[in-house]
């Protein structure tokens, strides 16, 4: 008995890390890491987008990139929040409608945020008569910053933990309501959605002619994110009541299927859309 206890792995307790949701407190105002992750993700994505459009054949000018930051931010916030309300906890929010506006309490859906950003891009490209797919390709290359930082913020907040496991790197999240060691699925997602996705899209943009095949980059991004999210749902603790839907999938997996199908279609058909393009008129150099 003593030998069994002595050989049991000592799992890291999340509370022992001393992490706080609040990055900085100024009087009654708390600046949270999650908010900083959003801000940093947008700024880094914007900086990288300027690098991309400075290359020959860009589908947008600097002024379009500037507009995109504003409208995409609105799409992320409103789309992400409404997606969470409708996809994950509709009963609760319909019974407590005022809590929908409490963004500081958390609750954002990445799938809803994607829809919001796509609507923003559609609005910008339609108004300026630009290519929707080529615009999406460049935006897709910029989003891994926000995705990766967002998942790191989830870890700092001690939320969206994984399922119970006995792997050596498991972490105990007391906020889960149990002392079971769990997968640090937030870190898995940060690695796949942030680092891996960025690396693949970086190689395709800078080392191949992918940017001249409309839909190839955004389709690849959809496939990588979709495959990552679908598979990680096996180790990520789904929202209560949404673990096993009647068709055998979690809500996260269900919402990812359309993304996988659209991504696959865009990748397969991208070669047929190859174009020879000229840079969009207007200043696009990086300041």
């Amino acid at each position: 008995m003593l030998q069994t206890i002595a050989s049991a792995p000592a799992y890291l307790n999340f509370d022992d890390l001393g992490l706080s949701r609040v990055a900085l407190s100024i009087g009654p105002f708390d600046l949270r890491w999650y908010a900083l992750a959003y801000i940093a993700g947008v700024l880094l994505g914007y900086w990288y987008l300027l690098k991309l459009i400075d290359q020959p054949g860009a589908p947008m000018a600097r002024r379009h990139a500037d507009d995109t930051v504003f409208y995409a931010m609105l799409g992320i916030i409103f789309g992400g929040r409404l997606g969470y309300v409708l996809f994950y906890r509709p009963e609760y929010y319909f019974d407590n409608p005022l809590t929908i506006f409490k963004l500081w309490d958390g609750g954002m859906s990445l799938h809803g945020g994607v829809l919001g950003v796509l609507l923003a891009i559609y609005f910008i490209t339609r108004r300026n008569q630009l290519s929707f797919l080529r615009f999406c390709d460049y935006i897709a290359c910029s989003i891994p910053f926000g995705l990766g930082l967002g998942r790191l913020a989830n870890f700092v907040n001690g939320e969206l933990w994984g399922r119970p496991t006995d792997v050596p790197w498991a972490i105990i999240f007391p906020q889960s309501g149990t002392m079971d060691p769990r997968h640090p699925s937030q870190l898995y997602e940060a690695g796949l959605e942030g680092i891996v996705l960025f690396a693949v899209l970086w190689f395709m943009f800078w080392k191949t002619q992918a940017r001249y095949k409309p839909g190839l980059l955004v389709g690849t991004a959809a496939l990588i994110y979709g495959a990552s999210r679908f598979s990680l749902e096996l180790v990520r603790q789904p929202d209560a009541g949404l673990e096993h839907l009647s068709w055998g999938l979690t809500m996260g997996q269900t919402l990812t299927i359309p993304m996988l199908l659209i991504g696959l279609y865009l990748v397969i058909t991208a070669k047929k859309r190859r174009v020879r393009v000229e840079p969009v008129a207007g200043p696009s150099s990086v300041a």
Side-chain angles (χ1 to χ4, degrees):
M1 180 66 176
L2 291 177
Q3 184 178 2
T4 302
I5 295 177
S7 62
Y11 293 108
L12 178 66
N13 189 310
F14 177 80
D15 288 346
D16 292 338
L17 296 175
L19 300 176
S20 171
R21 291 172 175 252
V22 178
L24 179 66
S25 294
I26 304 176
F29 175 74
D30 288 337
L31 181 60
R32 297 173 181 261
W33 286 111
Y34 202 66
L36 282 178
Y38 266 90
I39 296 171
V42 170
L43 292 178
L44 287 172
Y46 173 65
W47 166 80
Y48 188 58
L49 179 61
L50 295 184
K51 296 288 186 182
L52 300 180
I53 66 175
D54 202 37
Q55 302 307 303
M60 68 184 84
R62 172 70 177 264
R63 64 182 185 277
H64 304 127
D66 294 342
D67 289 343
T68 301
V69 173
F70 173 73
Y71 289 111
M73 195 67 180
L74 292 179
I76 291 171
I77 294 173
F78 291 107
R81 185 59 168 177
L82 289 177
Y84 185 79
V85 170
L86 296 175
F87 298 149
Y88 290 94
R89 301 187 66 189
E91 298 85 0
Y92 171 78
Y93 285 108
F94 289 162
D95 291 340
N96 305 274
L98 292 180
T99 59
I100 294 176
F101 303 99
K102 294 183 177 181
L103 300 179
W104 54 88
D105 286 340
M108 299 286 281
S109 164
L110 187 138
H111 299 90
V114 168
L115 290 176
V117 172
L118 289 176
L119 286 175
I121 293 175
Y122 177 78
F123 171 75
I124 294 172
T125 54
R126 184 176 178 82
R127 186 179 66 177
N128 294 280
Q129 297 182 327
L130 302 174
S131 168
F132 175 76
L133 275 182
R134 296 202 71 232
F135 207 102
C136 287
D137 282 338
Y138 279 62
I139 298 301
C141 292
S142 305
I143 62 173
F145 295 102
L147 292 178
L149 290 174
R151 294 310 184 189
L152 290 178
N154 289 148
F155 180 77
V156 171
N157 288 347
E159 61 190 3
L160 303 183
W161 46 77
R163 299 176 189 263
T165 183
D166 58 359
V167 297
W169 57 86
I171 297 177
I172 297 172
F173 293 91
Q175 299 91 330
S176 68
T178 73
M179 296 302 287
D180 296 328
R182 296 175 176 272
H183 283 285
S185 55
Q186 315 96 320
L187 300 182
Y188 303 165
E189 291 179 293
L192 290 173
E193 300 170 10
I195 298 173
V196 172
L197 181 57
F198 176 80
V200 172
L201 295 179
W202 178 91
F203 178 83
M204 292 178 66
F205 184 93
W206 295 100
K207 301 300 181 180
T208 75
Q209 296 294 308
R211 64 180 182 271
Y212 297 118
K213 299 175 183 178
L216 181 56
L217 290 168
V218 67
T220 300
L223 282 177
I224 293 176
Y225 174 81
S228 300
R229 179 62 185 271
F230 193 94
S231 58
L232 285 178
E233 284 286 308
L234 300 176
V235 298
R236 183 178 188 262
Q237 184 67 47
D239 290 64
L242 301 176
E243 303 96 330
H244 303 289
L245 301 178
S246 58
W247 46 90
L249 301 176
T250 67
M251 179 60 76
Q253 290 174 321
T254 301
L255 295 175
T256 299
I257 290 177
M259 184 179 293
L260 286 168
L261 295 176
I262 293 173
L264 183 62
Y265 169 78
L266 291 175
V267 169
I268 292 176
T269 59
K271 189 175 181 179
K272 300 178 181 179
R273 291 188 294 271
R274 184 181 176 93
V275 294
R276 293 184 178 275
V277 296
E278 296 296 332
V280 175
S284 61
S285 60
V286 180

